[in-house]
Amino acid sequence: MDTPLTGVSYELPAAKRSLRLTMDVSRPTTLSSVSTRVTAEWTFTSAHVTDVGQRLPLSVVRFTPRLSTESTAKAGTRFSVPFTVEGAATARTARKLAFSVSYDDGRTWHPAKAVDGKRLDLRHPAKAGAVSLRVTLTDAAGNTLKQTIHRAYRTVK
């Protein structure tokens, strides 16, 4: 599908089932050198509902780092990346909430420390480059999210 997810509706099976929804959105680097690809995969259980407008038990994580107008941060420094969990889960109700960071376009991933359920505490390498962020979440009902922002922002010297 090449349309935004806003306002999209789906008819779900009547029987209770475990379902998987995936999203993969890319944009050319000619438009922007950051957030060039965002992927998300949700697993959740759903059964027949009578309310047509009922929302699925999905969550998403929003990252809000303080960046320059060029979407950059300083290389070789500690850097705080605030985040919020939205949707069915929150940072407080999530059973599992784990973050990873990649400084080599996703070839390798390293655990990222979350502080107070509100921000990531990162240590940028001295070499300038791109920073990708990944989160995995499991809520109290067992619904999951795996979300990756490829090249979320860049670091500069």
Side-chain angles (χ1 to χ4, degrees):
M1 168 174 48
D2 291 327
T3 59
L5 292 176
T6 305
V8 173
S9 62
Y10 296 93
E11 187 170 326
L12 299 177
K16 185 174 182 178
R17 289 205 176 129
S18 181
L19 302 169
R20 183 171 69 100
L21 174 65
T22 61
M23 182 220 37
D24 189 333
V25 178
S26 297
R27 63 180 169 183
T29 54
T30 54
L31 276 177
S32 177
S33 63
V34 296
S35 297
T36 54
R37 182 176 176 213
V38 177
T39 61
E41 178 179 312
W42 297 269
T43 61
F44 57 98
T45 301
S46 184
H48 179 72
V49 294
T50 55
D51 179 4
V52 174
Q54 183 172 343
R55 294 182 181 267
L56 297 175
L58 307 180
S59 301
V60 67
V61 176
R62 306 265 184 222
F63 297 99
T64 54
R66 291 188 131 189
L67 302 170
S68 74
T69 55
E70 292 83 29
S71 298
T72 62
K74 190 88 171 137
T77 62
R78 293 188 80 84
F79 190 67
S80 180
V81 178
F83 67 85
T84 55
V85 180
E86 300 174 359
T90 67
R92 290 192 176 153
T93 64
R95 192 169 63 203
K96 176 187 171 195
L97 185 59
F99 296 91
S100 302
V101 61
S102 175
Y103 297 105
D104 60 6
D105 282 324
R107 287 185 292 280
T108 58
W109 291 91
H110 309 280
K113 182 181 177 186
V115 179
D116 298 329
K118 296 179 181 178
R119 64 184 174 85
L120 301 181
D121 184 26
L122 303 179
R123 176 75 180 167
H124 291 154
K127 182 181 175 185
V131 179
S132 298
L133 301 171
R134 177 174 286 163
V135 59
T136 56
L137 176 148
T138 303
D139 71 15
N143 304 309
T144 66
L145 163 70
K146 182 177 181 182
Q147 174 186 318
T148 305
I149 302 175
H150 302 265
R151 304 181 134 251
Y153 60 93
R154 295 178 303 114
T155 58
V156 293
K157 291 196 178 220

